[in-house]
Short mmCIF file of all heavy atoms in Angstrom, two decimals:
data_model
loop_
_atom_site.label_atom_id
_atom_site.label_comp_id
_atom_site.label_asym_id
_atom_site.label_seq_id
_atom_site.Cartn_x
_atom_site.Cartn_y
_atom_site.Cartn_z
N LEU V 923 -7.62 -2.59 27.39
CA LEU V 923 -6.96 -3.83 27.50
C LEU V 923 -8.00 -4.90 27.99
O LEU V 923 -8.79 -4.63 28.97
CB LEU V 923 -5.94 -3.66 28.63
CG LEU V 923 -5.25 -4.99 29.00
CD1 LEU V 923 -4.26 -5.53 27.89
CD2 LEU V 923 -4.34 -4.80 30.24
N LYS V 924 -8.02 -5.92 27.35
CA LYS V 924 -9.08 -6.91 27.44
C LYS V 924 -8.49 -8.32 27.56
O LYS V 924 -7.63 -8.74 26.73
CB LYS V 924 -10.15 -6.89 26.29
CG LYS V 924 -11.18 -8.01 26.47
CD LYS V 924 -12.30 -7.89 25.40
CE LYS V 924 -13.19 -6.78 25.62
NZ LYS V 924 -14.32 -6.70 24.81
N LEU V 925 -8.84 -9.11 28.65
CA LEU V 925 -8.55 -10.44 28.67
C LEU V 925 -9.47 -11.20 27.80
O LEU V 925 -10.56 -11.50 28.11
CB LEU V 925 -8.67 -11.02 30.05
CG LEU V 925 -8.32 -12.48 30.36
CD1 LEU V 925 -7.01 -12.93 29.64
CD2 LEU V 925 -8.32 -12.84 31.79
N ARG V 926 -8.98 -11.43 26.48
CA ARG V 926 -9.81 -11.88 25.48
C ARG V 926 -10.27 -13.34 25.70
O ARG V 926 -11.28 -13.77 25.51
CB ARG V 926 -9.05 -11.70 24.19
CG ARG V 926 -9.59 -12.54 23.03
CD ARG V 926 -10.76 -11.80 22.35
NE ARG V 926 -11.15 -12.38 21.14
CZ ARG V 926 -12.32 -12.54 20.66
NH1 ARG V 926 -13.35 -12.18 21.38
NH2 ARG V 926 -12.56 -13.13 19.55
N SER V 927 -9.26 -14.22 26.20
CA SER V 927 -9.55 -15.70 26.29
C SER V 927 -8.66 -16.27 27.24
O SER V 927 -7.59 -15.96 27.42
CB SER V 927 -9.54 -16.28 24.84
OG SER V 927 -8.11 -16.25 24.38
N ILE V 928 -9.31 -17.37 27.88
CA ILE V 928 -8.46 -18.35 28.70
C ILE V 928 -9.01 -19.77 28.32
O ILE V 928 -10.14 -19.97 28.13
CB ILE V 928 -8.84 -18.10 30.23
CG1 ILE V 928 -8.53 -16.56 30.68
CG2 ILE V 928 -8.13 -19.03 31.08
CD1 ILE V 928 -8.93 -16.34 32.05
N SER V 929 -8.07 -20.65 28.43
CA SER V 929 -8.30 -22.04 28.12
C SER V 929 -7.39 -22.89 29.03
O SER V 929 -6.23 -22.54 29.21
CB SER V 929 -8.16 -22.45 26.77
OG SER V 929 -6.83 -22.53 26.27
N ILE V 930 -7.94 -23.95 29.61
CA ILE V 930 -7.19 -24.96 30.35
C ILE V 930 -7.65 -26.20 29.90
O ILE V 930 -8.81 -26.54 29.77
CB ILE V 930 -7.34 -24.77 31.95
CG1 ILE V 930 -6.54 -25.62 32.70
CG2 ILE V 930 -8.81 -24.86 32.23
CD1 ILE V 930 -6.45 -25.33 34.16
N GLY V 931 -6.63 -27.12 29.69
CA GLY V 931 -6.97 -28.50 29.08
C GLY V 931 -6.08 -29.56 29.79
O GLY V 931 -5.08 -29.35 30.36
N TYR V 932 -6.59 -30.81 29.63
CA TYR V 932 -5.88 -32.00 30.10
C TYR V 932 -5.90 -33.07 28.98
O TYR V 932 -6.99 -33.43 28.60
CB TYR V 932 -6.41 -32.44 31.41
CG TYR V 932 -5.73 -33.54 32.00
CD1 TYR V 932 -4.52 -33.38 32.70
CD2 TYR V 932 -6.15 -34.95 31.85
CE1 TYR V 932 -3.79 -34.50 33.27
CE2 TYR V 932 -5.56 -35.96 32.44
CZ TYR V 932 -4.33 -35.79 33.19
OH TYR V 932 -3.69 -36.77 33.73
N ASP V 933 -4.66 -33.53 28.67
CA ASP V 933 -4.71 -34.54 27.60
C ASP V 933 -4.62 -36.02 28.36
O ASP V 933 -3.55 -36.34 28.86
CB ASP V 933 -3.33 -34.31 26.72
CG ASP V 933 -3.38 -35.18 25.55
OD1 ASP V 933 -4.16 -36.16 25.56
OD2 ASP V 933 -2.60 -34.97 24.53
N ILE V 934 -5.68 -36.70 28.20
CA ILE V 934 -5.84 -37.89 28.92
C ILE V 934 -4.90 -39.00 28.40
O ILE V 934 -4.43 -39.88 29.10
CB ILE V 934 -7.26 -38.34 29.03
CG1 ILE V 934 -8.04 -37.36 29.86
CG2 ILE V 934 -7.45 -39.77 29.53
CD1 ILE V 934 -9.62 -37.77 29.99
N THR V 935 -4.73 -38.87 26.99
CA THR V 935 -3.93 -39.84 26.34
C THR V 935 -2.47 -40.01 26.85
O THR V 935 -1.81 -40.91 26.49
CB THR V 935 -3.98 -39.77 24.86
OG1 THR V 935 -3.62 -38.33 24.53
CG2 THR V 935 -5.39 -39.96 24.25
N LYS V 936 -2.00 -38.92 27.37
CA LYS V 936 -0.67 -38.78 27.87
C LYS V 936 -0.48 -39.34 29.38
O LYS V 936 0.56 -39.39 29.91
CB LYS V 936 -0.07 -37.47 27.74
CG LYS V 936 0.09 -37.04 26.26
CD LYS V 936 0.71 -35.64 26.29
CE LYS V 936 0.72 -35.21 24.79
NZ LYS V 936 1.34 -33.93 24.60
N ALA V 937 -1.71 -39.50 30.06
CA ALA V 937 -1.59 -39.93 31.48
C ALA V 937 -1.23 -41.32 31.61
O ALA V 937 -1.44 -42.24 30.80
CB ALA V 937 -3.08 -39.66 32.01
N GLY V 938 -0.54 -41.60 32.75
CA GLY V 938 -0.10 -42.88 32.96
C GLY V 938 -1.07 -43.99 33.11
O GLY V 938 -0.96 -45.07 32.62
N PHE V 939 -2.25 -43.62 33.81
CA PHE V 939 -3.33 -44.61 33.97
C PHE V 939 -4.04 -44.99 32.64
O PHE V 939 -4.82 -45.98 32.58
CB PHE V 939 -4.42 -44.03 34.92
CG PHE V 939 -5.17 -42.88 34.34
CD1 PHE V 939 -6.19 -42.91 33.56
CD2 PHE V 939 -4.72 -41.59 34.72
CE1 PHE V 939 -6.94 -41.87 33.11
CE2 PHE V 939 -5.38 -40.42 34.36
CZ PHE V 939 -6.48 -40.52 33.52
N PHE V 940 -3.74 -44.16 31.54
CA PHE V 940 -4.43 -44.54 30.27
C PHE V 940 -3.44 -45.18 29.44
O PHE V 940 -3.71 -45.40 28.19
CB PHE V 940 -4.73 -43.19 29.60
CG PHE V 940 -5.87 -43.23 28.64
CD1 PHE V 940 -7.15 -43.47 29.16
CD2 PHE V 940 -5.73 -43.08 27.26
CE1 PHE V 940 -8.27 -43.45 28.30
CE2 PHE V 940 -6.75 -43.21 26.48
CZ PHE V 940 -8.05 -43.46 26.94
N LYS V 941 -2.33 -45.68 29.81
CA LYS V 941 -1.33 -46.34 28.95
C LYS V 941 -1.82 -47.47 28.15
O LYS V 941 -1.53 -47.56 27.02
CB LYS V 941 -0.12 -46.73 29.84
CG LYS V 941 1.12 -47.19 29.02
CD LYS V 941 2.23 -47.56 30.06
CE LYS V 941 3.47 -48.00 29.23
NZ LYS V 941 4.65 -48.28 30.13
N LYS V 942 -2.67 -48.32 28.67
CA LYS V 942 -3.12 -49.51 28.07
C LYS V 942 -4.00 -49.15 26.93
O LYS V 942 -4.25 -50.02 26.08
CB LYS V 942 -3.84 -50.40 28.96
CG LYS V 942 -2.92 -50.93 30.07
CD LYS V 942 -3.57 -51.95 31.07
CE LYS V 942 -2.65 -52.55 32.05
NZ LYS V 942 -3.41 -53.49 32.97
N GLN V 943 -4.66 -47.98 26.98
CA GLN V 943 -5.66 -47.58 25.94
C GLN V 943 -5.11 -46.76 24.85
O GLN V 943 -5.90 -46.31 23.92
CB GLN V 943 -6.81 -46.91 26.66
CG GLN V 943 -7.55 -47.65 27.65
CD GLN V 943 -8.26 -48.89 27.11
OE1 GLN V 943 -8.70 -48.87 25.92
NE2 GLN V 943 -8.34 -50.00 27.97
N ARG V 944 -3.80 -46.37 24.96
CA ARG V 944 -3.29 -45.42 23.87
C ARG V 944 -3.29 -45.92 22.51
O ARG V 944 -3.38 -45.13 21.55
CB ARG V 944 -1.78 -45.07 24.25
CG ARG V 944 -1.75 -44.33 25.61
CD ARG V 944 -0.29 -43.93 25.94
NE ARG V 944 -0.18 -43.27 27.15
CZ ARG V 944 0.98 -43.06 27.85
NH1 ARG V 944 2.14 -43.54 27.32
NH2 ARG V 944 0.95 -42.44 28.97
N ASN V 945 -3.27 -47.16 22.26
CA ASN V 945 -3.33 -47.66 20.94
C ASN V 945 -4.68 -47.54 20.28
O ASN V 945 -4.77 -47.47 19.10
CB ASN V 945 -2.89 -49.22 20.90
CG ASN V 945 -1.53 -49.47 21.31
OD1 ASN V 945 -0.61 -48.62 21.06
ND2 ASN V 945 -1.17 -50.62 21.89
N ASN V 946 -5.67 -47.35 21.21
CA ASN V 946 -7.11 -47.14 20.51
C ASN V 946 -7.40 -45.71 20.44
O ASN V 946 -8.39 -45.32 19.81
CB ASN V 946 -8.02 -47.86 21.53
CG ASN V 946 -7.80 -49.33 21.51
OD1 ASN V 946 -7.36 -49.95 20.59
ND2 ASN V 946 -8.03 -49.89 22.79
N PHE V 947 -6.69 -44.76 21.07
CA PHE V 947 -7.06 -43.38 20.97
C PHE V 947 -5.76 -42.60 20.49
O PHE V 947 -4.78 -42.76 21.03
CB PHE V 947 -7.37 -42.96 22.39
CG PHE V 947 -8.75 -43.41 22.92
CD1 PHE V 947 -8.71 -44.69 23.58
CD2 PHE V 947 -9.86 -42.72 22.80
CE1 PHE V 947 -9.85 -45.21 23.96
CE2 PHE V 947 -11.09 -43.29 23.37
CZ PHE V 947 -11.04 -44.59 23.90
N ARG V 948 -6.01 -41.78 19.50
CA ARG V 948 -4.95 -40.89 19.03
C ARG V 948 -4.98 -39.65 19.97
O ARG V 948 -3.92 -39.07 20.20
CB ARG V 948 -5.19 -40.46 17.68
CG ARG V 948 -5.01 -41.58 16.68
CD ARG V 948 -5.27 -41.04 15.16
NE ARG V 948 -6.61 -40.64 14.96
CZ ARG V 948 -7.00 -39.44 14.55
NH1 ARG V 948 -6.17 -38.47 14.29
NH2 ARG V 948 -8.32 -39.25 14.28
N ARG V 949 -6.17 -39.25 20.46
CA ARG V 949 -6.30 -38.12 21.41
C ARG V 949 -7.54 -38.08 22.11
O ARG V 949 -8.59 -38.48 21.67
CB ARG V 949 -6.27 -36.79 20.60
CG ARG V 949 -6.13 -35.51 21.26
CD ARG V 949 -6.36 -34.41 20.33
NE ARG V 949 -6.07 -33.07 21.09
CZ ARG V 949 -6.59 -31.84 20.70
NH1 ARG V 949 -7.39 -31.86 19.62
NH2 ARG V 949 -6.33 -30.77 21.29
N LEU V 950 -7.41 -37.77 23.40
CA LEU V 950 -8.55 -37.63 24.31
C LEU V 950 -8.27 -36.37 25.17
O LEU V 950 -7.51 -36.48 26.13
CB LEU V 950 -8.88 -38.88 25.17
CG LEU V 950 -10.09 -38.79 26.06
CD1 LEU V 950 -11.36 -38.42 25.18
CD2 LEU V 950 -10.28 -40.02 26.82
N TYR V 951 -8.90 -35.32 24.78
CA TYR V 951 -8.58 -34.07 25.40
C TYR V 951 -9.76 -33.43 26.02
O TYR V 951 -10.91 -33.18 25.43
CB TYR V 951 -7.93 -33.08 24.29
CG TYR V 951 -7.34 -31.85 24.89
CD1 TYR V 951 -6.15 -31.80 25.58
CD2 TYR V 951 -8.00 -30.63 24.68
CE1 TYR V 951 -5.58 -30.58 26.07
CE2 TYR V 951 -7.44 -29.38 25.12
CZ TYR V 951 -6.19 -29.41 25.82
OH TYR V 951 -5.67 -28.29 26.27
N LEU V 952 -9.70 -33.01 27.31
CA LEU V 952 -10.74 -32.28 28.01
C LEU V 952 -10.28 -30.83 28.24
O LEU V 952 -9.06 -30.65 28.57
CB LEU V 952 -11.07 -33.04 29.43
CG LEU V 952 -11.41 -34.48 29.29
CD1 LEU V 952 -11.62 -35.04 30.76
CD2 LEU V 952 -12.66 -34.66 28.47
N TYR V 953 -11.19 -29.96 28.13
CA TYR V 953 -10.85 -28.52 28.30
C TYR V 953 -12.01 -27.69 28.72
O TYR V 953 -13.15 -28.00 28.66
CB TYR V 953 -10.23 -28.03 26.96
CG TYR V 953 -11.35 -27.96 25.85
CD1 TYR V 953 -12.06 -26.83 25.70
CD2 TYR V 953 -11.48 -29.10 25.03
CE1 TYR V 953 -13.00 -26.84 24.56
CE2 TYR V 953 -12.46 -29.13 24.02
CZ TYR V 953 -13.10 -27.92 23.81
OH TYR V 953 -14.21 -27.94 22.82
N ALA V 954 -11.59 -26.49 29.27
CA ALA V 954 -12.51 -25.44 29.65
C ALA V 954 -12.06 -24.15 29.13
O ALA V 954 -10.84 -23.92 29.14
CB ALA V 954 -12.69 -25.43 31.20
#
Side-chain angles (χ1 to χ4, degrees):
L923 172 67
K924 174 174 288 192
L925 179 50
R926 167 78 169 139
S927 62
I928 303 176
S929 71
I930 184 170
Y932 183 77
D933 192 344
I934 295 179
T935 52
K936 295 180 181 179
F939 66 83
F940 206 74
K941 186 175 182 180
K942 294 182 179 180
Q943 301 296 327
R944 288 178 185 171
N945 292 334
N946 299 323
F947 292 84
R948 291 181 294 124
R949 187 189 187 202
L950 179 56
Y951 189 72
L952 303 177
Y953 63 93

